[in-house]
Amino acid sequence: KKPKKRRSGCACLVLTVIFVGGVGGVGYFGYQFYQNRFGSAPDYAGSGNGESVSVDIPKDAGGYVIGQRLKDAGVIKSVDAFVAAQEQNPRGKSIQDGGYTLEKEMSAASAVEMMLSPSSRNNLIIPEGFRNVWVYEQIDKRLGVAKGTTQEVAKKDYKKLGLPSWAMNEPNVKDPLEGFLFPSSYGVAKGGKPEAVLKQMVSRATETYESYGVEKKAKSLGLDSPWQLITVASLAQAEGTSHDDFRKMAEVVYNRLKPGNEQTNGMLEFDSTYNYVKNQSKIDLSLTALRKYDNRYNTYYYKGLPPGPIGNPGEEALKGAVNPTSDGWYYFISMDGKTSEFTKTNEEHQKLVDKWNASRKN
């Protein structure tokens, strides 16, 4: 028999190194795979670093959407950590939409717990139909800044706050943000910045308007732009006395805008447009004064729609504007301040006006 060849010690060493290196490589990548699949997601420790931040959660948002909003705001370290914490909390799925005041660098579990606590939602509530002037004042108070600060920011930087392209550069507009400070609940904490709050509100309005397809709807309703559709919604909001009114009120607007209509000849004649430009809310207005006041928002003086929205319409008014009734309404009056009565002719309307005047002994 031939003598066995002796293996080189060097060769054995190389094989050993390769084997160990291979095992090490497999081990490393295996460890990474395990961590990625089964390890804990990156997370902060504790209940925050003391720096308050406001976060707006959209309607019907799931855990991943909420987590992404919180991560973008610097509240949590990872979306996965938040989703895991939400699932582990028995009440985690009951987190609602709206604004929250939280802290930066919170653990995911702390963020979930905080969002379930009423203390995180001591929020600024914007009611339906309120004008921007009022909203600006409330933001100033919440942020602890000088009166007029937020309004000045809105006037100077409105193009940087997220308005859609169709809401830009409208002529003769009193406030480009009117109609875009959407009625909702917002977390507004002292020490925050007006720009951040306004962006939240504009974003909420834009998301809502897009969900209703305002660009396509405007064309189908015979309007020139979605800007006009939001203006119609604001008129329905301002003149309606209940949610049941909005569809009828929107029809009144559309019917009066029809070219050649013999009822109003294109004049809207809404008291609310005069009140808007005067920043008042009066009921008894002089017809003579209304018809003499030369202002583009005064629909007693100019035909058609005012240059822009006259307040911030809520979702119900928006629904009315995109889906009006088709019953032939041209006139309306509120006899009791709580409900409106609609009529199709001036004669019918005048009977109600006479009845209302008699009740007030005018």
Side-chain angles (χ1 to χ4, degrees):
K1 293 183 182 180
K2 294 182 180 180
K4 293 181 179 179
K5 291 184 179 179
R6 296 179 63 188
R7 291 181 181 175
S8 166
C10 182
C12 290
L13 179 61
V14 170
L15 287 172
T16 302
V17 170
I18 292 173
F19 177 75
V20 172
V23 171
V26 171
Y28 172 78
F29 288 111
Y31 172 78
Q32 290 299 313
F33 176 80
Y34 179 86
Q35 281 294 99
N36 292 336
R37 290 293 300 273
F38 307 108
S40 299
D43 199 1
Y44 291 119
S47 57
N49 64 5
E51 183 180 350
S52 295
V53 61
S54 298
V55 183
D56 187 44
I57 304 302
K59 190 175 181 180
D60 299 325
Y64 283 97
V65 174
I66 299 173
Q68 191 61 57
R69 291 282 178 119
L70 297 181
K71 184 173 184 259
D72 292 343
V75 176
I76 60 172
K77 197 167 188 178
S78 72
V79 175
D80 287 344
F82 177 81
V83 172
Q86 186 185 29
E87 290 176 350
Q88 290 167 10
N89 190 304
R91 298 185 299 125
K93 298 296 184 182
S94 62
I95 293 175
Q96 300 176 354
D97 63 297
Y100 291 84
T101 301
L102 305 167
E103 290 187 21
K104 289 191 174 182
E105 298 186 4
M106 301 181 74
S107 71
S110 295
V112 171
E113 198 61 42
M114 188 68 169
M115 295 182 82
L116 293 169
S117 169
S119 63
S120 71
R121 304 201 69 183
N122 182 21
N123 291 344
L124 172 60
I125 307 296
I126 307 301
E128 298 173 345
F130 276 55
R131 301 168 187 155
N132 281 9
V133 171
W134 181 87
V135 179
Y136 295 145
E137 291 177 354
Q138 304 311 306
I139 295 173
D140 285 344
K141 291 177 183 177
R142 286 293 186 115
L143 297 180
V145 297
K147 185 176 180 180
T149 300
T150 303
Q151 186 168 18
E152 185 60 31
V153 170
K155 181 179 179 181
K156 181 183 176 183
D157 297 329
Y158 72 91
K159 290 186 178 181
K160 303 176 183 177
L161 299 175
L163 288 172
S165 58
W166 51 260
M168 294 285 198
N169 305 316
E170 289 290 331
N172 305 311
V173 173
K174 181 182 177 184
D175 183 344
L177 291 186
E178 196 75 70
F180 277 86
L181 305 186
F182 196 74
S184 188
S185 169
Y186 299 94
V188 182
K190 190 172 183 179
K193 295 185 179 299
E195 296 92 331
V197 179
L198 294 173
K199 281 183 178 180
Q200 278 190 57
M201 295 178 175
V202 172
S203 176
R204 177 65 66 90
T206 302
E207 288 174 1
T208 303
Y209 296 155
E210 286 179 353
S211 72
Y212 281 89
V214 292
E215 294 189 70
K216 289 183 178 179
K217 277 291 184 181
K219 292 180 181 179
S220 69
L221 290 165
L223 299 172
D224 294 336
S225 67
W227 177 260
Q228 290 189 336
L229 180 53
I230 307 309
T231 301
V232 173
S234 75
L235 292 171
Q237 182 78 68
E239 295 286 354
T241 53
S242 70
H243 283 185
D244 293 336
D245 289 350
F246 295 144
R247 292 186 66 213
K248 293 179 180 179
M249 198 66 70
E251 187 195 348
V252 169
V253 176
Y254 293 130
N255 284 340
R256 291 188 181 192
L257 290 176
K258 287 179 180 177
N261 89 76
E262 297 181 357
Q263 292 289 339
T264 64
N265 298 308
M267 300 294 289
L268 288 182
E269 297 190 342
F270 276 23
D271 292 1
S272 55
T273 60
Y274 178 86
N275 278 332
Y276 171 73
V277 77
K278 290 284 189 177
N279 196 28
Q280 62 186 25
S281 299
K282 293 184 178 180
I283 298 175
D284 293 321
L285 297 170
S286 164
L287 194 58
T288 302
L290 286 168
R291 289 181 172 161
K292 284 184 177 180
Y293 184 60
D294 183 357
N295 186 284
R296 281 292 293 114
Y297 277 88
N298 183 11
T299 53
Y300 278 89
Y301 197 94
Y302 286 93
K303 287 185 178 183
L305 291 169
I310 60 170
N312 292 288
E315 198 162 354
E316 291 299 317
L318 180 61
K319 289 178 182 178
V322 300
N323 184 30
T325 54
S326 55
D327 300 321
W329 306 121
Y330 273 91
Y331 302 92
F332 61 91
I333 187 172
S334 177
M335 305 296 287
D336 57 6
K338 298 178 182 178
T339 57
S340 299
E341 294 191 41
F342 294 84
T343 49
K344 300 176 182 179
T345 67
N346 189 43
E347 290 76 18
E348 293 173 318
H349 177 65
Q350 194 56 50
K351 288 179 183 179
L352 293 178
V353 171
D354 293 341
K355 182 179 177 181
W356 187 73
N357 285 332
S359 70
R360 295 170 57 84
K361 298 180 180 181
N362 287 344

